[in-house]
Amino acid sequence: MIIIAKSTVAAQHIAQVLDHQNPIKPVFVHDNRVALAGVKTLPETELQEVKSEIVEIITNHHSAIKSSRDFHPEDTIIKTPHSVIGGQHFTFMAGPDSIESPAHVEAMGKAVKAAGATVLRGGAFKPRTSPYSFQGNGEAGLKAHRAAADALEMDMVTEILDTRDVDLVDSYTDIFQVGTRNMQNFALLKALGKKQKPVVLKRGMSATIDDLLNAAEYIAAGGNDQIILMERGIRTYDNKYTRNTLDVSAIPVLQSLTHYPVVADASHAAGVSKFVAPLALAAVAAGAQGLMTEIHDDPAHAFVDGAQALTPDEFKLLADKIRQIREAIK
Ligand SMILES: O=C[C@H](O)[C@H](O)COP(=O)(O)O
Ligand SMILES: C=C(OP(=O)(O)O)C(=O)O
C-alpha cells in the first residue's frame, strides 16, 4: 500500500502515527506530494487521526512511485557529456555488439558518429546463452571502448552483468546498461541505484510493462533518477522469423506511465539485419526518444550477433530516414 501525503510535514506526521504498526518509509516524490511506502494495514483509529493529511491511498502494491508520471509529470531529461536524452531530444546509440579490438571500436565509432550517433555502444562483458560462446574482452574491452569514446568525443554505454564489477565499469563508462537478462537482478539494480550515473534499463524479454517500471523503481528508490528505459523485443508465440517481437505499443504506453526517456533497440528485436530498419522506423514513429543499433563493417565475422548487425552505410541510411520521420511527426 502506498499513501500519498499532502506535504513533507504531513508525511512525517503520518509516518510517526503509523510507524508502530508498519515499517513505513517516506519516499519523497514531487514538490509537495510525498509518498509513504511499506504500509501493510491502516488501523481505523490511527487512520482517523491522519485522514486529513492524506491525498490518496494506492492499494496496488506493485505501483511504481518515483518512476510514475503521476508523481513526476515532467519528462526527465538526462545530460551526459555529449548527449541530451529525453523530452523532445532524440539520441542515437550505436556501435558494435562487442568490443573486438581498440582499432575496430574506434572505426565503428567514427562511422556511427558521422551518421549522427552521440553514444558509442559495445559490450566488454557479454551475457551469452552458452558458456562456451565468446564472453567479451573484459577490462581490456572497457579500456578500448573508453579510449575510442574519448578520441571521438562520444559517450560510452556498456553492459554490466555482475554487482562485483559495478565500480570497475563505473570507472570507465558514462552510461551503464542493464541487459534484458538482468532486468530483475535486484542486487544489481540496487547497486546501480547508489551510483549517480545514467542507466539504460532494457526490458526483460519476458517482462511486463509493470515489471519494467518496478525494475526502474529499484534504481530510483536507491537515489539514482537517471534511468533510460529500453524496449528491445519480447518473447511471443511466434519468434520463428524474428528473434523477439518488438513491442511497439510499449513505447507510448511507457511514456504515458513514466517520465523517464523511452528508447528502442531494434537490433535485438529483429535478430536479422534486414528487419532492423523497418522496426527501428516503427519505434521512432511510435515516439521512441532514441535508438540503439548494432553495426559491424564485416557482419559475417562479428564476434557476436553478426546476423543482426547493420553495416555503417546501412546505419547512415537508417539514421537519415529517422531524421525525416522525426521531422514529419513533430
Ligand atoms: O548482445 C548480445 C548478446 O550477448 C547476445 O544476443 C546473446 O545471445 P546468444 O549468446 O544466444 O548469442
Ligand atoms: C546483450 C544485449 O542486449 P539484450 O540485453 O537486449 O539482449 C546488448 O545490447 O548487447
Side-chain angles (χ1 to χ4, degrees), residues 232-245:
R232 50 77 69 200
I234 51 173
R235 287 210 163 139
T236 58
Y237 57 84
D238 192 355
N239 290 132
K240 184 172 162 194
Y241 302 102
T242 57
R243 190 176 188 182
N244 294 279
T245 300

Side-chain angles (χ1 to χ4, degrees), residues 97 121 126-130 133 159 181 243 268 294 304-305 308:
D97 181 288
R121 66 142 287 142
K126 294 304 304 171
R128 304 308 304 277
T129 304
S130 162
S133 298
E159 182 164 356
R181 294 160 184 81
R243 190 176 188 182
H268 285 85
E294 290 191 344
V304 188
D305 281 350
Q308 68 197 31

Side-chain angles (χ1 to χ4, degrees), residues 89-91 251-252 255 262-264 280 282-291 326 329:
H89 303 273
F90 189 89
T91 310
I251 296 165
Q255 285 166 333
V262 179
V263 301
V284 174
Q289 290 150 298
L291 195 69
R326 292 270 307 159
I329 61 174

